[in-house]
């Protein structure tokens, strides 16, 4: 979804809105399984806005039949406004982000999913020039390889965000295009479910991106990104990247090792030729030489002694899909894993608590065993883990901090 519901401009038009759109199937979940914040709630101001919007929509060719069908059962969703303020790819460190979107178990699942769609992906790659593993990686980050396509009604989500106004024009445009999707017959209102920001289908396309880039690749008469067959979604995403400026036959980037004492500038604005980076001692982390795919920048999101990456033009094309550096690095990393590559060569090392990833996972598992649910042991310290720590500390008569530490881990082992 420009994903992740971010600030986009539709020239770079983020296609996606959420890199981690929870959900299950492409149908609206029953109310018993949905957070109340994602169920319609009374809001007189929102209702007034919708009434005015319907008049604007009608003046632009949206029929009363479409408006009635599309808005039936829809309403104000306070949860989408909260999500709009808290986007994982912008708020987490790269280590935490990769632990969330590309853990080892997901890589294993993804390789099987990738193998199952290899023929379809190869056909799409042949037409648009975007590598199969990149498309499969986006599929994985956006919908967990098609298994979590979202359950939040797109009409409700986009109308709520358009009413709220922070990016009102952007979301009103997407709401209008969602109605056009219904009116054209590409999808029924019940199919228009997805992430909190209105992103839909296997690769989480926002309605604006769908209208501009959707492809009927299998020739069945519909541009169908919602069904269990993901080929139209693959083709639409590939076409988006191609139109954005993807350069065929070139990589997005790779992990590199920086020499001791490296003091050259890093970041997007400091681009150099690959020969220049070589002369400064930059080497491929996996060995071998540095590929030369044009001018490149070095990114070291967590510091020069942590994983660093040499990124080329195509890295920025991934960011057209979602403008987060973490997202683009996540796509590149997952793509390399799906293609058979290994984990990052440079360790992230100890965090501010003095723990490495495996120790944080062990701490979470220990808390859960002790009767304080810390959630899935992913090594990411969030509110649930902090609450579990506070509960454990209180039960032991310890100062209640909610903060992980090596001594706490020792007590839990």
């Amino acid at each position: 979804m420009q994903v992740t519901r971010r600030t986009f401009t539709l020239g770079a038009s983020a296609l996606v809105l959420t890199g981690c759109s929870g959900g299950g199937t492409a149908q609206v979940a029953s109310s018993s399984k949905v957070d109340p914040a994602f169920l319609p709630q009374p809001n007189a101001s929102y209702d007034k806005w919708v009434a005015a919007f319907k008049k604007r929509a009608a003046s632009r060719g949206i029929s009363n039949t479409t408006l009635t069908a599309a808005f039936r059962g829809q309403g104000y969703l306070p949860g989408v406004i909260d999500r709009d303020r808290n986007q994982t790819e912008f708020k987490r460190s790269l280590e935490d982000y990769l632990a969330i979107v590309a853990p080892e178990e997901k890589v294993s699942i993804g390789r099987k999913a990738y193998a199952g769609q290899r023929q379809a992906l190869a056909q799409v790659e042949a037409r648009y020039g975007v590598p199969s593993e990149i498309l499969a990686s986006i599929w994985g980050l956006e919908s967990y390889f098609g298994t979590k396509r979202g359950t939040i009604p797109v009409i409700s989500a986009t109308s709520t965000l358009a009413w709220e106004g922070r990016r009102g024009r952007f979301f009103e445009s997407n709401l209008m295009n969602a109605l056009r999707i219904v009116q054209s017959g590409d999808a029924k209102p019940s199919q228009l479910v997805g992430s909190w920001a209105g992103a839909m289908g296997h690769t989480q396309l926002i309605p604006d991106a769908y209208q501009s880039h959707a492809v009927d690749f299998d020739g069945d008469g519909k541009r169908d990104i919602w069904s269990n067959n993901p080929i139209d979604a693959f083709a639409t995403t590939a076409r988006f990247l191609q139109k954005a400026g993807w350069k065929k036959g070139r990589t997005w980037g790779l992990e590199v090792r920086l020499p001791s004492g490296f003091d050259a500038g890093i970041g997007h604005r400091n681009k150099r030729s690959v020969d220049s980076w070589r002369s400064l001692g930059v080497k491929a982390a996996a060995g071998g030489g540095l590929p030369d795919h044009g001018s490149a920048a070095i990114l070291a999101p967590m510091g020069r002694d942590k994983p660093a990456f040499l990124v080329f033009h195509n890295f920025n094309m991934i960011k057209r899909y979602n403008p987060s550096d973490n997202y683009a690095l996540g796509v590149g990393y997952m793509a390399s894993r799906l293609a058979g590559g290994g984990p990052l060569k440079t360790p992230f090392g100890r965090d501010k608590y003095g723990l490495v990833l495996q120790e944080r996972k062990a701490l979470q598992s220990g808390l859960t065993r002790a009767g304080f649910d810390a959630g899935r042991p992913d090594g990411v310290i969030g509110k649930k883990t902090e609450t579990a720590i506070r509960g454990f500390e209180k039960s032991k008569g310890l100062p209640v901090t909610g903060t992980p530490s090596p001594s706490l881990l020792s007590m839990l082992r």
Side-chain angles (χ1 to χ4, degrees):
M1 309 172 168
Q2 246 174 9
V3 159
T4 31
R5 297 78 162 83
R6 33 193 94 285
T7 320
F8 327 55
T9 56
L10 205 67
S13 163
L15 249 239
V16 260
L17 268 163
T18 53
C20 308
S21 63
T25 66
Q27 299 298 320
V28 179
S30 66
S31 60
S32 64
K33 297 180 180 180
V34 177
D35 183 332
F38 292 97
L39 293 173
Q41 297 185 14
N43 185 314
S45 176
Y46 165 86
D47 293 341
K48 183 178 179 180
W49 184 92
V50 169
F53 168 79
K54 286 181 177 180
K55 293 179 181 179
R56 294 194 294 276
S59 72
R60 297 178 190 178
I62 304 299
S63 70
N64 286 332
T65 299
T66 296
L67 287 167
T68 299
F71 276 94
R72 184 177 295 119
Q74 307 294 316
Y76 165 69
L77 305 180
V80 305
I81 296 173
D82 181 62
R83 290 284 183 91
D84 189 41
R85 301 293 190 273
N86 297 281
Q87 300 177 39
T88 299
E89 54 267 56
F90 290 104
K91 291 183 174 291
R92 290 289 187 181
S93 69
L94 177 62
E95 182 181 21
D96 279 357
Y97 184 68
L98 293 182
I100 292 168
V101 305
E104 287 301 312
E105 59 267 30
K106 186 173 179 180
V107 170
S108 178
I109 291 169
R111 285 174 172 169
K112 293 176 182 177
Y114 181 36
Q117 294 294 332
R118 190 69 61 90
Q119 183 177 357
L121 287 163
Q123 291 172 349
V124 172
E125 179 178 353
R127 181 175 300 182
Y128 297 105
V130 180
S132 295
E133 64 271 20
I134 290 290
L135 296 173
S137 178
I138 291 173
W139 184 37
L141 265 66
E142 294 299 343
S143 70
Y144 211 111
F145 304 101
T147 64
K148 296 182 179 180
R149 284 170 256 168
T151 60
I152 299 170
V154 170
I155 301 297
S156 290
T158 53
S159 60
T160 295
L161 291 165
W163 163 82
E164 184 262 351
R166 190 170 72 91
R167 287 179 286 156
R169 183 176 299 179
F170 172 78
F171 283 107
E172 179 165 335
S173 174
N174 278 278
L175 174 58
M176 194 74 73
N177 275 320
L179 296 173
R180 291 185 178 113
I181 291 169
V182 173
Q183 187 155 287
S184 70
D186 276 317
K188 297 176 181 179
S190 61
Q191 291 178 281
L192 294 187
V193 293
S195 77
W196 58 264
M200 314 169 291
H202 287 267
T203 53
Q204 293 292 278
L205 295 153
I206 56 174
D208 281 1
Y210 176 93
Q211 285 294 90
S212 297
H213 303 285
V215 175
D216 175 18
F217 195 83
D218 59 6
D220 67 353
K222 289 188 177 183
R223 301 177 297 171
D224 187 357
I225 64 171
W226 301 276
S227 72
N228 288 332
N229 181 357
I231 195 166
D232 283 358
F234 294 155
T236 298
T237 296
R239 185 169 184 258
F240 173 90
L241 292 172
Q242 180 198 55
K243 295 294 183 182
W246 186 275
K247 292 185 177 180
K248 183 179 180 180
R250 299 190 180 187
T251 187
W252 65 273
L254 71 160
E255 185 189 0
V256 293
R257 292 193 189 280
L258 306 181
S260 176
F262 181 79
D263 63 358
I266 61 175
H268 290 288
R269 295 184 178 181
N270 186 36
K271 292 184 177 180
R272 295 172 178 259
S273 69
V274 171
D275 282 342
S276 177
W277 289 122
R278 287 191 190 113
S279 71
L280 291 170
V282 177
K283 297 181 180 180
L290 293 179
D292 191 348
H293 291 156
S295 64
I298 287 179
L299 301 183
M302 295 183 65
R304 300 180 190 215
D305 59 338
K306 309 291 186 182
F309 307 86
L310 188 68
V311 298
F312 298 96
H313 169 84
N314 282 343
F315 177 83
N316 293 316
M317 298 307 98
I318 298 172
K319 289 185 67 177
R320 294 289 184 90
Y321 203 81
N322 179 322
S324 157
D325 278 351
N326 276 354
Y327 178 83
L329 290 170
V331 168
Y333 173 71
M334 177 62 87
S336 71
R337 300 302 310 276
L338 295 179
L344 295 176
K345 298 294 184 181
T346 304
F348 283 103
R350 296 192 177 276
D351 63 10
K352 63 183 179 181
Y353 308 113
L355 301 170
V356 297
L357 179 65
Q358 291 304 320
E359 290 172 333
R360 295 195 297 274
K361 289 182 177 180
L363 184 145
Q364 290 170 321
S365 295
L367 286 167
T368 299
R369 285 196 306 271
F372 303 90
D373 184 12
R376 183 173 69 87
D378 56 9
V380 178
I381 305 300
K383 291 181 179 179
K384 193 165 188 176
T385 301
E386 291 168 351
T387 298
I389 292 173
R390 285 192 288 269
F392 177 80
E393 289 172 329
K394 185 176 181 180
S395 74
K396 297 296 183 182
L398 301 170
V400 179
T401 67
T403 303
S405 66
S407 59
L408 179 64
L409 175 60
S410 295
M411 295 180 66
L412 289 164
R413 278 179 162 165

